[in-house]
Amino acid sequence: MSIYEELPAIYRPQRAQSDVDAIANAFYEAVLDLNPVYATEEGRTGVETLFPDYSPAGDAAYTELVKKTLADLEAIIPVDDTDLVTLDAMQERLELDLAFRRAGHGSWQLNNITSVVQSVRSSFDLMNRNSPEDWGFIVGRLGNVPVALASLRENLDSARAEGKISPARQLRAVTEQIDAYVAENGYFDELAKEIATGCEQLCDQALEAAAEAKEAYADLAEYIRTVLLPAAPEKDAVGRKDYALYSRYFLGAHIDLDETYAWGARELASIIAAQQEIAEQIKPGASIEEAKQILDADPERVLHGTDELQAWMQRRSDAAVQALAGEHFEIAGPMLNLECRIAPTHEGGIYYTGPSPDFSRPGRMWWSVPEGDDTFGTWRETSTVYHEGVPGHHLQMSVATAMSAALNKYRANMLWVSGHGEGWALYAERLMVELGFMDDLGDRMGWLDAQRLRAARVVFDIGVHCELPVPEEWAAELGVEPGTIWTPELGYEFLKRNFDATEDSVKFEYLRYLGWPGQAPSYKIGERLWLQLRDEAVASGTELREFHTRALILGSLGLDVLRRALSDAPVDNFDDDDEDDDD
């Protein structure tokens, strides 16, 4: 039996590929042509050592591809409801891509989390490490780091000539990250050691390639410090016009920014009140902070070291998969396989990487543990396991991958909208609360703590970037006059009061929100929109399990597109196989 045949039958429907699918597939393949790193992750061979062209020519090539694809879509006639959703989704995404280009955005932008500086380094994370040939590919790509950074440098120079430089705060953060990459026993030294351990005969080549990569990164850091930084703007806020564009991109939905900002403040107050109720149950009269101290002091809730952390993540994840498979969701075959790993970096944060198109590389949950962190409270992280795993990202991305034959490669493997994906992951956390998986008071406090941060960053992100007044209830808390306009410094104090984490983690998140506007709020706002969709479906008589299945088989979509697809289209327009799931 093939891996594909082990998937639930509902994810293996029969549907002939259409002309719309052909355009979508052609776009997908053309993007892989432009991005060898992504192509390698998607299973393409022959490009394992290469990087994209990060120069202005690379940006221009993608822009031309988008324009051509939109023209092709305008001329095509859809044949079924799946085509209608694909057209709606592609036009929404690609038109936003063009809007970003017209607004002057591109690969020249640097920030602390998702710019070329990080993507070149992270390109090694998902490369195979199973054979001498695999290790050879890693060495080859390592040797091409200087070429990749040279193309970025070309883009930075071109943008600078047009007066476009990233904010100074983000540039300083990037140079600090580079310093860590190139330090003795930093990332590249460790990668060279890993290669030598995996394939001893490549030791000399690995050391040479790592030294060249370090030199290229060090030169880039020097360029940023001496050329870009002196001319960089100090202002972090992007302004309402640009922010509205970022918000639409990350949500795939039009929202009222002022109404959403006010809602975020109300939601934050509600969550804090719920935390206080839990604190009272943990110990009568206890404050939220005192209740957390009690939980932290409980030895049954503490993990020591990353090995214990990784093992706990895996146990918790496996238990969730087994409990939800069959009864609540259609999960079988390779979808059951989720690996929990400690990331090779120390930048903070937990993230998920999806399975390869043929499931030969499983979905993986990664924890990037900051240097010095060696104790972990399970009560703080239980909801995160459900967020990144099942029923969160792993379920939604495994379903999309499984549906690739019935949809197309673009929708199954490439399309990702943060408000849809991250909104679903927050919805998944809430669903686990509703299903009774977080009845433990500690786990519930941890979930509320995570929700508190997500609500706070709706207020922070919209408030700081759109330069709105601090909410009245927080003005007094922060010691400022009512009507005071947000500044990044006020925002930092606000985050510290709503994000119970190490100073390094708070700083990382703070910089992330300043440098990646609109993305962080997409989690909580996305959850809000998912809950609205669920309520509408249930009110119309749809069973909850049916709603989940119907929504997930559509894959990741902009949330306005998802609403139209769920309200206008039938459940599907193809026939399921007659085979049983265990054939």
Side-chain angles (χ1 to χ4, degrees):
M1 180 186 294
S2 70
I3 287 181
Y4 181 76
E5 290 172 327
E6 296 175 16
L7 294 166
I10 196 168
Y11 306 141
R12 296 183 279 117
Q14 298 299 306
R15 175 179 175 270
Q17 293 282 287
S18 69
D19 290 341
V20 172
D21 294 320
I23 294 173
N25 289 336
F27 178 77
Y28 168 83
E29 296 294 347
V31 170
L32 298 195
D33 290 342
L34 294 174
N35 191 332
V37 171
Y38 184 38
T40 302
E41 294 172 5
E42 290 292 291
R44 184 182 285 189
T45 60
V47 295
E48 293 90 346
T49 65
L50 304 179
F51 284 99
D53 179 359
Y54 298 114
S55 74
D59 282 354
Y62 179 74
T63 300
E64 289 307 308
L65 171 62
V66 168
K67 290 178 178 178
K68 176 184 181 303
T69 302
L70 283 170
D72 291 343
L73 292 172
E74 283 290 336
I76 206 70
I77 298 175
V79 298
D80 59 16
D81 293 304
T82 299
D83 275 359
L84 289 172
V85 175
T86 299
L87 277 171
D88 197 3
M90 291 193 75
Q91 288 172 331
E92 187 263 348
R93 288 288 94 188
L94 299 187
E95 285 169 359
L96 277 171
D97 277 342
L98 290 186
F100 267 97
R101 296 302 187 272
R102 288 193 294 269
H105 302 295
S107 299
W108 62 270
Q109 292 174 289
L110 302 180
N111 61 36
N112 78 319
I113 189 170
T114 183
S115 63
V116 174
V117 169
Q118 295 86 19
S119 63
V120 169
R121 192 228 49 81
S122 66
S123 68
F124 300 95
D125 292 352
L126 296 185
M127 295 183 72
N128 290 330
R129 287 159 160 79
N130 303 320
S131 68
E133 183 181 38
D134 291 339
W135 292 111
F137 291 145
I138 293 175
V139 171
R141 180 171 285 174
L142 189 56
N144 279 325
V145 166
V147 176
L149 296 185
S151 69
L152 170 62
R153 169 76 172 268
E154 185 181 342
N155 209 328
L156 295 172
D157 273 333
S158 176
R160 180 172 61 89
E162 298 175 12
K164 296 184 294 190
I165 302 175
S166 297
R169 200 187 308 266
Q170 297 301 319
L171 296 183
R172 287 190 286 268
V174 166
T175 56
E176 288 177 9
Q177 289 178 339
I178 293 175
D179 290 345
Y181 296 166
V182 304
E184 185 176 356
N185 297 319
Y187 175 77
F188 287 109
D189 285 350
E190 291 301 313
L191 181 59
K193 293 176 186 176
E194 184 187 6
I195 295 168
T197 301
C199 187
E200 188 176 353
Q201 59 266 38
L202 291 173
C203 179
D204 290 343
Q205 290 175 252
L207 290 172
E208 181 180 354
E212 292 173 352
K214 288 174 64 173
E215 182 178 0
Y217 261 110
D219 288 346
L220 176 63
E222 181 67 12
Y223 169 79
I224 293 172
R225 286 190 176 101
T226 60
V227 178
L228 295 186
L229 195 50
E234 292 294 334
K235 187 173 183 178
D236 300 279
V238 298
R240 181 179 285 262
K241 182 179 179 180
D242 257 10
Y243 190 86
L245 181 60
Y246 279 109
S247 177
R248 278 179 54 209
Y249 183 82
F250 286 117
L251 289 172
H254 292 75
I255 61 168
D256 182 325
L257 291 174
D258 294 307
E259 186 278 333
T260 304
Y261 178 68
W263 165 80
R266 293 194 304 273
E267 187 74 3
L268 177 59
S270 174
I271 291 167
I272 294 172
Q275 281 190 293
Q276 187 58 64
E277 291 179 10
I278 296 292
E280 183 70 25
Q281 294 177 60
I282 290 173
K283 180 184 176 181
S287 67
I288 296 171
E289 290 70 26
E290 288 169 340
K292 289 180 183 179
Q293 291 170 6
I294 292 170
L295 294 171
D296 282 335
D298 183 352
E300 296 298 316
R301 300 178 185 274
V302 178
L303 302 169
H304 300 279
T306 54
D307 288 345
E308 284 191 16
L309 173 63
Q310 185 274 333
W312 173 82
M313 290 167 63
Q314 192 69 61
R315 287 195 306 272
R316 199 83 189 207
S317 173
D318 290 345
V321 171
Q322 293 302 319
L324 296 177
E327 182 176 356
H328 297 287
F329 296 97
E330 296 282 353
I331 309 173
M335 300 171 69
L336 297 168
N337 189 10
L338 169 60
E339 292 183 357
C340 297
R341 295 191 172 193
I342 302 301
T345 58
H346 305 281
E347 295 167 356
I350 305 169
Y351 58 96
Y352 174 82
T353 56
S356 58
D358 63 355
F359 285 99
S360 60
R361 183 190 70 239
R364 290 169 178 160
M365 188 189 313
W366 301 82
W367 195 316
S368 179
V369 179
E371 292 278 10
D373 286 7
D374 59 0
T375 59
F376 311 92
T378 58
W379 68 272
R380 296 176 182 272
E381 308 301 344
T382 298
S383 64
T384 304
V385 173
Y386 302 141
H387 177 112
E388 303 294 345
V390 171
H393 290 321
H394 180 66
L395 176 61
Q396 68 180 160
M397 294 185 74
S398 293
V399 170
T401 302
M403 288 292 297
S404 59
L407 298 175
N408 50 63
K409 294 177 181 178
Y410 171 76
R411 280 181 61 186
N413 301 329
M414 179 174 287
L415 181 55
W416 172 261
V417 181
S418 182
H420 179 287
E422 300 298 354
W424 168 266
L426 255 64
Y427 170 79
E429 293 180 33
R430 184 179 297 273
L431 183 64
M432 293 299 271
V433 171
E434 295 170 351
L435 293 176
F437 284 80
M438 283 193 282
D439 287 345
D440 176 84
L441 291 177
D443 291 345
R444 186 69 67 90
M445 178 66 87
W447 170 66
L448 286 169
D449 224 35
Q451 285 281 324
R452 180 172 177 172
L453 170 63
R454 272 59 176 266
R457 62 197 195 186
V458 172
V459 178
F460 173 100
D461 213 72
I462 298 176
V464 171
H465 282 292
C466 295
E467 298 176 290
L468 298 177
V470 176
E472 186 173 341
E473 62 272 29
W474 280 98
E477 181 76 17
L478 295 171
V480 298
E481 293 295 322
T484 298
I485 301 300
W486 279 111
T487 64
E489 291 70 31
L490 275 176
Y492 187 74
E493 290 304 312
F494 174 73
L495 277 183
K496 284 172 64 177
R497 294 167 191 249
N498 290 292
F499 184 25
D500 185 10
T502 64
E503 188 74 20
D504 284 346
S505 293
V506 175
K507 180 182 177 183
F508 181 87
E509 291 295 303
Y510 168 70
L511 291 170
R512 168 190 166 189
Y513 308 156
L514 292 176
W516 205 14
Q519 195 275 339
S522 68
Y523 292 59
K524 190 65 178 169
I525 301 170
E527 179 198 32
R528 185 190 194 192
L529 298 176
W530 268 105
L531 287 167
Q532 291 172 0
L533 291 172
R534 181 182 77 172
D535 291 346
E536 292 166 6
V538 171
S540 70
T542 302
E543 294 288 334
L544 188 57
R545 179 183 169 118
E546 179 188 351
F547 167 73
H548 291 151
T549 301
R550 182 179 177 186
L552 287 173
I553 63 176
L554 291 168
S556 186
L557 300 169
L559 288 164
D560 281 347
V561 176
L562 178 65
R563 182 181 295 277
R564 290 191 287 270
L566 289 174
S567 61
D568 298 337
V571 174
D572 57 51
N573 51 66
F574 34 69
D575 296 324
D576 287 345
D577 287 340
D578 291 329
E579 303 170 79
D580 293 331
D581 291 355
D582 58 352
D583 278 357

